[in-house]
Amino acid sequence: MAAIVRLLADDALGAEREVVSDPPAEGYFTAFEKISADPRNLLAVAEDAQGAVVGALQMTFIPGLSNQGAELALVAAVRVESRLRGQGLGETMMRWAMDEARARGCRNIELFTHASRLDAQRFYERLGFAKSHAGMRRPL
Amino acid sequence: MAAIVRLLADDALGAEREVVSDPPAEGYFTAFEKISADPRNLLAVAEDAQGAVVGALQMTFIPGLSNQGAELALVAAVRVESRLRGQGLGETMMRWAMDEARARGCRNIELFTHASRLDAQRFYERLGFAKSHAGMRRPL
């Protein structure tokens, strides 16, 4: 889990939002336990040949009435170790996520990506995603 | 549940996606049962003085490591009966959803709205939402 937090912080936006400490802050442990306990949420990691975590993503499988009751797969917190970017690992991870979503019977896969992440948007468009929606957020 | 499906179909995009029949198609029942059984998903409806369903929305409470382990509230399928639009019901429903998200300890509330729904985007902006993200979707 500490390795995933490190990946989340290894990013222009994440660096401002996350706290990297050893051991990680209590909030990360609580969240990790909630995710682990929930069959509709999963964290997946990519490891290198030495077993080090070099990529991570979260999936949420959301039941809904829309689209004739189709389940939706939401992908979030997609991160690749900075020194390994541009080598196809992100694509491998996303293709795995799409297969996983199909295997669960989802008809669509969705994600929010910050408006400033233009490279990420091009990456997702190459994988068949379209910027069909506005992703709106409000702090509470 | 049939009343919610009717609301989902009472919409330019929904009309193409949903099937309104009596009784509703099996997929809606299956989805409704999944939502009802899941403590992280809820369907809320607004009723008029006669008890008729005139508004609906879905909320999903998503645990995540990002933002120091903060839980995220996702709102979807927000619908108001067409003859009642523009009278403040949608705002009442969304303020309820924000209160609910705060009560559960969420730090942000997010939603996807189709790029073509410009009125909806202005409505959400009035409520404090920002188009901070691209909402990307891929059919599977």
Side-chain angles (χ1 to χ4, degrees):
Chain A
M1 187 272 282
I4 305 177
V5 174
R6 188 177 45 74
L7 280 178
L8 291 174
D10 176 23
D11 170 82
L13 295 171
E16 296 178 17
R17 287 193 301 237
E18 310 305 337
V19 176
V20 177
S21 60
D22 184 14
E26 183 60 27
Y28 293 114
F29 282 99
T30 310
F32 186 76
E33 282 160 23
K34 286 188 203 168
I35 298 167
S36 305
D38 186 347
R40 293 195 168 278
N41 276 281
L42 66 82
L43 280 169
V45 296
E47 295 181 343
D48 68 11
Q50 285 71 46
V53 171
V54 292
L57 59 78
Q58 179 170 350
M59 297 186 78
T60 306
F61 302 99
I62 304 176
L65 293 179
S66 301
N67 287 300
Q68 303 178 45
E71 202 159 303
L72 174 76
L74 186 70
V75 179
V78 181
R79 294 292 184 283
V80 169
E81 174 91 43
S82 49
R83 69 186 161 82
L84 296 177
R85 285 176 202 158
Q87 297 176 33
L89 177 56
E91 177 168 345
T92 303
M93 288 165 50
M94 286 301 297
R95 292 205 182 278
W96 176 88
M98 289 188 262
D99 287 344
E100 196 70 14
R102 266 185 222 103
R104 294 208 30 154
C106 297
R107 283 199 225 152
N108 286 288
I109 185 165
E110 290 187 352
L111 55 87
F112 284 83
T113 182
H114 196 272
S116 68
R117 296 193 196 273
L118 299 178
D119 285 352
Q121 290 164 36
R122 277 189 290 268
F123 164 73
Y124 293 122
E125 283 174 338
R126 274 206 314 277
L127 294 177
F129 285 78
K131 278 188 273 188
S132 50
H133 290 68
M136 302 187 75
R137 173 182 287 186
R138 184 192 196 283
L140 292 171
Chain B
M1 187 271 284
I4 306 176
V5 174
R6 189 178 44 75
L7 281 177
L8 292 173
D10 176 23
D11 170 84
L13 295 173
E16 296 177 17
R17 287 192 301 236
E18 310 305 336
V19 176
V20 178
S21 60
D22 184 13
E26 183 60 28
Y28 292 114
F29 282 99
T30 310
F32 186 75
E33 281 161 23
K34 286 189 205 167
I35 299 167
S36 305
D38 186 348
R40 293 194 168 279
N41 276 281
L42 66 82
L43 280 170
V45 295
E47 296 181 342
D48 67 12
Q50 284 73 47
V53 171
V54 292
L57 60 78
Q58 178 168 350
M59 297 187 77
T60 307
F61 302 98
I62 304 176
L65 293 179
S66 300
N67 286 298
Q68 301 176 47
E71 201 160 302
L72 173 76
L74 185 70
V75 179
V78 181
R79 295 290 185 284
V80 169
E81 174 92 43
S82 49
R83 68 186 163 83
L84 296 177
R85 284 177 203 156
Q87 297 177 35
L89 177 57
E91 177 167 344
T92 303
M93 288 165 49
M94 286 302 297
R95 292 207 182 279
W96 176 87
M98 289 188 262
D99 287 344
E100 195 71 12
R102 266 185 222 102
R104 293 207 29 155
C106 297
R107 283 198 226 154
N108 286 289
I109 185 166
E110 290 187 352
L111 55 86
F112 283 85
T113 182
H114 196 272
S116 67
R117 296 194 197 272
L118 299 178
D119 285 352
Q121 289 163 36
R122 277 189 290 268
F123 164 73
Y124 292 122
E125 282 173 339
R126 274 206 314 278
L127 293 177
F129 285 79
K131 278 188 275 190
S132 50
H133 290 66
M136 304 188 73
R137 173 182 287 186
R138 184 192 196 283
L140 291 171

